[in-house]
Amino acid sequence: MKKYIIEVKNLVAKYGEKIVLDDISVNIKAGEITVILGSSGCGKTTLLKNILRLYEPYSGSVKIFDQEVTTMDEPEYNLILKKIGVLFQGGALLNSISVGENLAIPLEQHTKLPDVIKDRIINLKLELVNLAHAKYLKPSELSGGMEKRVALARAITLDPDLLFCDEPSAGLDPITSADLDRLILNLKEKLNMAIVIVTHELASIHRIADSIIFLHKGKMLYHGSLEAAEEANIPEITEFFETGKFD
């Protein structure tokens, strides 16, 4: 049996007095791609941000790598973050510096490696996303798909055991989106990462998901394989996959 890399228990998240996530308990396995999905406003990104402590949970437990992160102080949690990569929805690249310099940021912040080693790591990560030629370009010189791949390369610079992606295919055409999905699958196999992805893209879900977490109005309706979800006869899930309605 695969080990759980994330364990969430009785998680409650609030915005003010409004409950956004209500008593979420879910375990995420190492080495798998888990997709968080559901209609708009169901709490997908909120769940991701509460796991990452970008938002502090109102109550409940979140364990990453068998360690309770909700009660950690900042220095302790920073050690956890060194083993986590994040691909933000917009890419979050700095436009004033080159692609290579963007990738250098986590290496400069979290390591004391000599510059020659940092440069080799940057080259290797760009090769993994098929963008070795883009090292000296600025983000403004890249296509949307290339920007996402650079952001992905930066997210894996420190060889994380766990990668979070928030709407990685947002704004991409179907062909570019499919290319990004294949890249994510390839990286999972090569780097043996667990990947947690928030998306509403049906084609992507079918291409990449080992398991899904389906949220509806702040509740978790289902967690398990995609195949079993489509056969579970849960009305909200059936409507989601049959109609593609997200609102």
Side-chain angles (χ1 to χ4, degrees):
M1 182 178 292
K2 292 184 179 180
K3 180 181 178 183
Y4 297 128
I5 199 164
I6 300 171
E7 299 169 79
V8 178
K9 186 175 181 181
N10 304 126
L11 178 70
V12 175
K14 287 186 173 183
Y15 293 147
E17 293 302 310
K18 181 182 178 183
I19 295 176
V20 182
L21 295 173
D22 188 7
D23 196 27
I24 304 295
S25 294
V26 65
N27 296 326
I28 295 174
K29 290 181 179 179
E32 288 192 353
I33 295 179
T34 301
V35 175
I36 304 172
L37 62 149
S39 60
S40 295
C42 69
K44 300 187 296 293
T45 296
T46 300
L47 177 57
L48 184 149
K49 289 183 175 180
N50 273 262
I51 291 172
L52 277 168
R53 270 183 59 177
L54 295 174
Y55 297 155
E56 291 291 338
Y58 177 77
S59 62
S61 168
V62 178
K63 289 184 178 180
I64 303 177
F65 309 125
D66 293 323
Q67 297 183 66
E68 178 64 50
V69 299
T70 60
T71 55
M72 283 183 175
D73 59 27
E74 190 170 341
E76 285 180 301
Y77 188 56
N78 284 339
L79 295 176
I80 295 290
L81 287 178
K82 288 182 181 180
K83 298 191 287 184
I84 295 174
V86 183
L87 173 58
F88 295 101
Q89 183 172 338
L93 299 176
L94 298 180
N95 289 317
S96 60
I97 59 177
S98 71
V99 164
E101 289 168 324
N102 268 278
L103 265 67
I105 292 171
L107 293 168
E108 291 168 354
Q109 290 180 335
H110 299 294
T111 77
K112 296 181 179 179
L113 295 170
D115 288 344
V116 65
I117 301 300
K118 291 178 187 175
D119 198 52
R120 288 177 187 171
I121 293 171
I122 290 167
N123 291 339
L124 175 61
K125 301 311 179 187
L126 288 174
E127 287 174 8
L128 282 173
V129 299
N130 303 315
L131 282 176
H133 63 283
K135 182 178 180 180
Y136 299 106
L137 298 178
K138 294 286 182 66
S140 60
E141 299 175 277
L142 307 176
S143 67
M146 291 171 70
E147 280 193 71
K148 289 291 177 73
R149 285 190 281 155
V150 169
L152 183 57
R154 185 180 61 186
I156 62 170
T157 300
L158 298 177
D159 294 326
D161 297 309
L162 176 59
L163 176 67
F164 291 89
C165 302
D166 188 10
E167 298 283 5
S169 299
L172 301 181
D173 63 81
I175 294 175
T176 305
S177 177
D179 286 342
L180 184 63
D181 288 340
R182 284 189 287 270
L183 177 58
I184 289 171
L185 287 168
N186 186 44
L187 291 176
K188 184 195 82 162
E189 296 303 322
K190 283 187 175 180
L191 303 179
N192 194 31
M193 292 185 297
I195 305 176
V196 180
I197 296 177
V198 170
T199 187
H200 65 265
E201 302 285 348
L202 291 181
S204 286
I205 293 164
H206 282 91
R207 280 191 292 260
I208 65 177
D210 292 310
S211 64
I212 66 168
I213 296 169
F214 193 93
L215 301 180
H216 181 70
K217 296 182 178 179
K219 294 277 192 179
M220 187 176 73
L221 294 189
Y222 176 86
H223 177 219
S225 72
L226 178 60
E227 294 78 10
E230 293 177 318
E231 298 172 358
N233 294 320
I234 299 171
E236 292 85 356
I237 296 178
T238 299
E239 181 181 30
F240 184 91
F241 283 107
E242 288 185 352
T243 70
K245 289 175 63 177
F246 312 116
D247 297 302

